Amino acid sequence: MKSFEDVKSEKWYAPAVVTVASYGFAQGTSDTVFSPDKAVTRGEYLGWLIRTLGLTSEAKVQLQRCA
């Protein structure tokens, strides 16, 4: 189970941080720091989303036109 020195277990978000880090969906700003008060960039958010959904560069997407 992954943990970070700046995510105290009594914080409301601690279980979520531990879960997403343990599954590899999100990383900290270093091996030991998560930086929970740091603003999330669009790129970081997209990285989390891509890893969570298991998307790869080989993914094929078929879009349908909405009329």
XYZ file of all heavy atoms in Angstrom:
520
model
N 0.850 -1.173 0.000
C 0.000 0.000 0.000
C 0.899 1.240 0.000
O 1.801 1.365 0.797
C -0.913 -0.029 1.213
C -1.922 1.052 1.186
S -3.490 0.736 2.016
C -3.043 0.293 3.651
N 0.649 2.138 -0.923
C 1.459 3.349 -1.090
C 1.040 4.391 -0.065
O -0.139 4.555 0.232
C 1.244 3.887 -2.514
C 2.043 5.091 -2.864
C 3.483 4.755 -3.090
C 4.232 5.993 -3.551
N 5.643 5.867 -3.408
N 2.005 5.091 0.496
C 1.703 6.186 1.411
C 2.664 7.343 1.138
O 3.726 7.169 0.528
C 1.821 5.730 2.863
O 3.152 5.362 3.159
N 2.263 8.515 1.578
C 3.043 9.732 1.378
C 3.165 10.456 2.708
O 2.205 10.499 3.485
C 2.370 10.647 0.351
C 2.240 10.030 -1.005
C 1.070 9.419 -1.398
C 3.305 10.052 -1.894
C 0.950 8.839 -2.653
C 3.193 9.478 -3.156
C 2.017 8.869 -3.530
N 4.319 11.061 2.956
C 4.547 11.722 4.241
C 3.682 12.958 4.443
O 3.443 13.365 5.577
C 6.027 12.072 4.411
C 6.584 12.985 3.349
C 8.092 13.104 3.393
O 8.782 12.111 3.656
O 8.574 14.227 3.146
N 3.161 13.561 3.375
C 2.324 14.755 3.528
C 0.826 14.457 3.442
O 0.014 15.374 3.403
C 2.717 15.824 2.504
C 2.544 15.371 1.065
O 2.440 14.157 0.832
O 2.532 16.243 0.184
N 0.450 13.194 3.455
C -0.968 12.807 3.482
C -1.203 12.070 4.799
O -0.915 10.886 4.934
C -1.349 11.913 2.276
C -2.802 11.490 2.365
C -1.088 12.646 0.977
N -1.692 12.799 5.778
C -1.932 12.236 7.105
C -3.203 11.395 7.093
O -4.193 11.738 6.435
C -2.061 13.346 8.154
C -0.864 14.286 8.188
C 0.413 13.525 8.522
C 1.604 14.453 8.556
N 2.858 13.795 8.355
N -3.188 10.286 7.805
C -4.304 9.328 7.773
C -5.627 9.927 8.237
O -6.688 9.446 7.851
C -3.971 8.094 8.612
O -3.742 8.458 9.956
N -5.599 11.005 9.037
C -6.853 11.597 9.523
C -7.498 12.554 8.519
O -8.630 12.995 8.715
C -6.628 12.318 10.860
C -5.705 13.509 10.802
C -4.230 13.159 11.014
O -3.878 11.991 11.176
O -3.422 14.101 11.005
N -6.824 12.873 7.438
C -7.404 13.752 6.424
C -8.515 13.018 5.668
O -8.432 11.820 5.411
C -6.335 14.226 5.426
C -5.294 15.129 6.034
C -5.921 16.448 6.419
C -4.868 17.443 6.825
N -5.424 18.735 7.144
N -9.542 13.749 5.266
C -10.692 13.145 4.595
C -10.315 12.494 3.275
O -10.936 11.534 2.838
C -11.808 14.183 4.392
C -11.424 15.301 3.456
C -10.857 16.481 3.783
C -11.561 15.314 2.032
N -10.625 17.239 2.662
C -11.056 16.549 1.562
C -12.065 14.418 1.101
C -11.040 16.900 0.224
C -12.050 14.776 -0.239
C -11.544 15.999 -0.659
N -9.292 12.993 2.611
C -8.907 12.485 1.300
C -7.863 11.369 1.352
O -7.527 10.786 0.327
C -8.375 13.633 0.423
C -7.280 14.447 1.067
C -5.961 14.004 1.085
C -7.570 15.669 1.676
C -4.958 14.746 1.685
C -6.574 16.423 2.274
C -5.273 15.959 2.280
O -4.276 16.692 2.868
N -7.344 11.067 2.534
C -6.275 10.074 2.660
C -6.623 8.712 2.055
O -5.810 8.148 1.304
C -5.858 9.925 4.118
N -7.813 8.133 2.328
C -8.117 6.827 1.717
C -8.113 6.861 0.189
O -7.650 5.927 -0.455
C -9.513 6.493 2.252
C -9.653 7.291 3.506
C -8.873 8.550 3.250
N -8.608 7.949 -0.397
C -8.641 8.055 -1.856
C -7.224 8.160 -2.420
O -6.897 7.515 -3.423
C -9.474 9.262 -2.282
N -6.363 8.941 -1.787
C -4.978 9.097 -2.244
C -4.256 7.757 -2.184
O -3.576 7.362 -3.139
C -4.233 10.165 -1.418
C -2.741 10.147 -1.715
C -4.814 11.545 -1.674
N -4.414 7.049 -1.077
C -3.767 5.739 -0.922
C -4.256 4.779 -2.005
O -3.457 4.063 -2.622
C -4.034 5.167 0.489
C -3.607 3.715 0.583
C -3.321 6.003 1.532
N -5.552 4.764 -2.269
C -6.121 3.855 -3.265
C -5.608 4.156 -4.666
O -5.111 3.267 -5.357
C -7.659 3.920 -3.247
O -8.111 3.534 -1.939
C -8.258 2.990 -4.290
N -5.706 5.412 -5.108
C -5.291 5.726 -6.480
C -3.787 5.555 -6.670
O -3.345 5.132 -7.730
C -5.755 7.132 -6.946
C -7.261 7.240 -6.947
C -5.143 8.237 -6.128
N -3.002 5.848 -5.637
C -1.556 5.663 -5.735
C -1.187 4.181 -5.730
O -0.296 3.753 -6.463
C -0.853 6.394 -4.600
N -1.884 3.395 -4.926
C -1.591 1.959 -4.847
C -1.892 1.248 -6.160
O -1.190 0.323 -6.542
C -2.382 1.324 -3.702
O -1.939 1.832 -2.462
N -2.932 1.679 -6.856
C -3.277 1.093 -8.153
C -2.460 1.691 -9.300
O -2.554 1.241 -10.433
C -4.762 1.264 -8.450
C -5.639 0.274 -7.724
C -6.371 0.656 -6.614
C -5.735 -1.051 -8.145
C -7.179 -0.250 -5.941
C -6.526 -1.963 -7.490
C -7.248 -1.553 -6.387
O -8.043 -2.461 -5.721
N -1.687 2.735 -9.021
C -0.858 3.344 -10.046
C -1.587 4.343 -10.925
O -1.074 4.766 -11.948
N -2.786 4.737 -10.517
C -3.551 5.703 -11.308
C -2.982 7.109 -11.154
O -3.073 7.927 -12.061
C -5.018 5.705 -10.902
C -5.725 4.385 -11.102
C -6.742 4.008 -10.263
C -5.359 3.519 -12.127
C -7.406 2.804 -10.444
C -6.011 2.313 -12.309
C -7.035 1.952 -11.459
N -2.442 7.425 -10.005
C -1.853 8.743 -9.743
C -0.537 8.546 -9.018
O -0.372 7.590 -8.266
C -2.804 9.594 -8.898
N 0.386 9.452 -9.260
C 1.664 9.437 -8.563
C 1.779 10.712 -7.748
O 1.063 11.669 -7.989
C 2.841 9.381 -9.559
C 2.886 8.145 -10.403
C 2.231 8.331 -11.751
O 2.038 9.441 -12.196
N 1.880 7.246 -12.389
N 2.708 10.706 -6.831
C 2.983 11.913 -6.076
C 3.934 12.805 -6.850
O 4.347 12.495 -7.968
N 4.300 13.910 -6.235
C 5.274 14.797 -6.858
C 6.688 14.275 -6.635
O 7.635 14.771 -7.247
C 5.131 16.232 -6.322
O 5.164 16.200 -4.894
C 3.811 16.845 -6.768
N 6.832 13.282 -5.761
C 8.074 12.530 -5.576
C 7.680 11.151 -5.030
O 6.491 10.868 -4.875
C 9.016 13.245 -4.603
O 8.614 13.057 -3.263
N 8.643 10.321 -4.715
C 8.329 9.006 -4.171
C 7.694 9.077 -2.793
O 6.962 8.164 -2.396
C 9.589 8.135 -4.093
C 10.047 7.659 -5.460
O 9.219 7.670 -6.405
O 11.208 7.277 -5.580
N 7.950 10.153 -2.051
C 7.456 10.253 -0.673
C 6.481 11.401 -0.440
O 5.916 11.517 0.637
C 8.638 10.425 0.301
O 9.371 11.588 -0.057
C 9.547 9.204 0.280
N 6.268 12.257 -1.445
C 5.402 13.437 -1.293
C 4.316 13.411 -2.363
O 4.599 13.203 -3.541
C 6.234 14.744 -1.399
C 5.348 15.961 -1.313
C 7.289 14.773 -0.306
N 3.062 13.639 -1.941
C 1.941 13.692 -2.874
C 1.572 15.123 -3.254
O 1.087 15.375 -4.340
C 0.713 13.001 -2.271
C -0.404 12.811 -3.247
C -0.350 11.805 -4.188
C -1.504 13.644 -3.241
C -1.377 11.624 -5.108
C -2.538 13.473 -4.146
C -2.475 12.460 -5.082
N 1.786 16.077 -2.371
C 1.444 17.497 -2.575
C -0.063 17.687 -2.774
O -0.514 18.174 -3.811
C 2.219 18.091 -3.758
O 3.601 17.999 -3.547
N -0.871 17.324 -1.761
C -2.327 17.400 -1.920
C -2.878 18.812 -2.097
O -3.986 18.977 -2.600
C -2.850 16.769 -0.626
C -1.751 16.931 0.357
C -0.483 16.846 -0.441
N -2.131 19.834 -1.710
C -2.612 21.210 -1.854
C -2.195 21.852 -3.172
O -2.579 22.979 -3.465
C -2.114 22.063 -0.685
C -2.682 21.587 0.644
O -3.865 21.211 0.683
O -1.932 21.577 1.634
N -1.423 21.136 -3.970
C -0.968 21.652 -5.263
C -2.115 21.582 -6.278
O -2.862 20.606 -6.319
C 0.212 20.807 -5.758
C 0.760 21.197 -7.094
C 1.876 20.205 -7.486
C 2.236 20.320 -8.930
N 1.239 19.770 -9.824
N -2.245 22.606 -7.082
C -3.270 22.595 -8.132
C -2.946 21.502 -9.154
O -1.787 21.247 -9.466
C -3.320 23.952 -8.824
N -3.978 20.852 -9.640
C -3.820 19.795 -10.642
C -3.874 20.421 -12.029
O -4.794 21.192 -12.337
C -4.948 18.746 -10.502
C -4.861 17.693 -11.591
C -4.893 18.103 -9.128
N -2.907 20.096 -12.862
C -2.912 20.628 -14.225
C -3.809 19.759 -15.104
O -4.157 18.633 -14.745
C -1.496 20.633 -14.824
O -1.064 19.281 -14.997
C -0.512 21.393 -13.940
N -4.159 20.265 -16.261
C -4.950 19.479 -17.215
C -4.207 18.216 -17.621
O -4.787 17.153 -17.757
C -5.259 20.309 -18.457
C -6.237 21.411 -18.204
C -6.495 22.194 -19.492
N -7.395 23.287 -19.218
C -7.212 24.516 -19.638
N -6.147 24.824 -20.349
N -8.080 25.452 -19.350
N -2.910 18.351 -17.816
C -2.093 17.199 -18.206
C -2.073 16.122 -17.141
O -2.176 14.934 -17.447
N -1.947 16.523 -15.875
C -1.979 15.550 -14.778
C -3.333 14.852 -14.712
O -3.409 13.639 -14.554
C -1.684 16.240 -13.441
C -0.254 16.694 -13.294
C -0.036 17.605 -12.108
O -0.978 18.330 -11.691
O 1.095 17.611 -11.609
N -4.399 15.655 -14.832
C -5.742 15.075 -14.792
C -5.941 14.077 -15.933
O -6.462 12.979 -15.732
C -6.814 16.164 -14.850
C -8.204 15.580 -14.883
C -8.772 15.082 -13.721
C -8.916 15.482 -16.072
C -10.036 14.517 -13.753
C -10.163 14.911 -16.104
C -10.724 14.437 -14.932
O -11.965 13.856 -14.964
N -5.528 14.437 -17.131
C -5.660 13.521 -18.271
C -4.840 12.260 -18.068
O -5.278 11.163 -18.427
C -5.261 14.217 -19.567
C -6.280 15.221 -20.089
C -5.719 15.961 -21.292
C -7.577 14.541 -20.435
N -3.663 12.394 -17.466
C -2.852 11.221 -17.149
C -3.575 10.286 -16.201
O -3.597 9.065 -16.391
N -4.193 10.850 -15.156
C -4.966 10.028 -14.213
C -6.109 9.331 -14.929
O -6.353 8.146 -14.733
C -5.553 10.871 -13.098
C -4.567 11.518 -12.178
C -3.234 11.213 -12.050
C -4.828 12.566 -11.271
N -2.669 12.019 -11.114
C -3.621 12.865 -10.611
C -5.959 13.293 -10.938
C -3.523 13.860 -9.638
C -5.857 14.269 -9.965
C -4.657 14.543 -9.338
N -6.810 10.077 -15.755
C -7.950 9.528 -16.471
C -7.535 8.399 -17.416
O -8.153 7.329 -17.438
C -8.659 10.641 -17.253
C -9.946 10.283 -17.959
C -11.005 9.826 -16.966
C -10.463 11.466 -18.754
N -6.483 8.606 -18.163
C -5.986 7.591 -19.107
C -5.562 6.329 -18.365
O -5.920 5.213 -18.761
C -4.831 8.168 -19.944
C -5.395 9.187 -20.944
C -4.050 7.067 -20.652
C -4.347 10.047 -21.600
N -4.816 6.486 -17.265
C -4.382 5.313 -16.498
C -5.568 4.611 -15.844
O -5.631 3.385 -15.817
C -3.344 5.714 -15.453
C -1.984 6.010 -16.061
C -0.925 6.230 -14.993
N -1.166 7.412 -14.186
C -0.795 8.645 -14.513
N -0.160 8.862 -15.654
N -1.035 9.660 -13.715
N -6.525 5.368 -15.323
C -7.690 4.781 -14.660
C -8.537 3.988 -15.643
O -9.020 2.900 -15.330
C -8.547 5.884 -14.000
O -7.738 6.586 -13.060
C -9.744 5.296 -13.289
N -8.716 4.509 -16.842
C -9.533 3.831 -17.850
C -8.765 2.743 -18.592
O -9.349 1.990 -19.367
C -10.079 4.853 -18.853
C -11.055 5.880 -18.276
C -11.437 6.898 -19.334
C -12.287 5.204 -17.693
N -7.455 2.685 -18.378
C -6.638 1.671 -19.040
C -6.459 1.923 -20.524
O -6.267 0.979 -21.297
N -6.508 3.172 -20.926
C -6.356 3.499 -22.340
C -4.895 3.383 -22.761
O -3.989 3.615 -21.970
C -6.852 4.923 -22.611
C -8.315 5.192 -22.280
C -8.643 6.654 -22.534
C -9.231 4.289 -23.074
N -4.684 3.018 -23.994
C -3.338 2.943 -24.549
C -3.321 3.706 -25.862
O -4.367 4.083 -26.401
C -2.912 1.484 -24.816
O -3.737 0.953 -25.848
C -3.027 0.630 -23.567
N -2.156 3.878 -26.407
C -2.045 4.592 -27.679
C -2.631 3.774 -28.817
O -2.868 4.285 -29.895
C -0.585 4.938 -27.981
O 0.178 3.759 -28.065
N -2.861 2.502 -28.587
C -3.434 1.624 -29.591
C -4.965 1.585 -29.539
O -5.588 0.888 -30.305
C -2.894 0.202 -29.411
C -1.389 0.098 -29.548
C -0.887 0.506 -30.925
O -1.532 0.150 -31.930
O 0.136 1.196 -30.980
N -5.544 2.321 -28.613
C -7.004 2.311 -28.474
C -7.673 2.835 -29.733
O -7.248 3.813 -30.337
C -7.426 3.140 -27.269
N -8.711 2.177 -30.141
C -9.481 2.592 -31.311
C -10.803 3.173 -30.802
O -11.514 2.550 -30.024
C -9.760 1.395 -32.217
C -8.496 0.676 -32.667
C -8.319 0.830 -34.153
C -7.202 0.005 -34.676
N -5.896 0.478 -34.425
N -11.114 4.353 -31.252
C -12.326 5.022 -30.829
C -13.170 5.302 -32.049
O -12.686 5.815 -33.045
C -12.002 6.362 -30.107
C -13.272 7.082 -29.738
C -11.147 6.101 -28.892
N -14.435 4.939 -31.965
C -15.343 5.208 -33.064
C -16.354 6.227 -32.577
O -17.105 5.980 -31.641
C -16.059 3.935 -33.504
C -16.937 4.142 -34.708
C -17.502 2.834 -35.246
O -17.187 1.778 -34.753
N -18.317 2.925 -36.254
N -16.325 7.391 -33.187
C -17.249 8.444 -32.810
C -18.451 8.436 -33.735
O -18.321 8.222 -34.945
C -16.541 9.804 -32.894
C -15.291 9.955 -32.013
C -14.645 11.310 -32.283
C -15.661 9.824 -30.552
N -19.596 8.651 -33.134
C -20.817 8.729 -33.934
C -21.321 10.152 -33.900
O -21.264 10.816 -32.866
C -21.869 7.794 -33.380
C -21.481 6.334 -33.525
C -22.578 5.417 -33.024
O -23.639 5.856 -32.628
N -22.301 4.126 -33.033
N -21.804 10.579 -35.016
C -22.315 11.943 -35.102
C -23.667 12.020 -34.405
O -24.543 11.185 -34.595
C -22.444 12.341 -36.557
C -22.796 13.766 -36.727
C -22.776 14.141 -38.176
N -22.970 15.582 -38.246
C -22.685 16.295 -39.269
N -22.180 15.727 -40.345
N -22.872 17.572 -39.269
N -23.801 13.043 -33.570
C -25.076 13.278 -32.889
C -25.904 14.229 -33.747
O -25.441 15.285 -34.127
C -24.855 13.900 -31.511
S -23.950 12.829 -30.406
N -27.106 13.814 -34.045
C -27.952 14.653 -34.889
C -29.040 15.311 -34.076
O -29.463 14.899 -33.090
C -28.567 13.841 -36.003
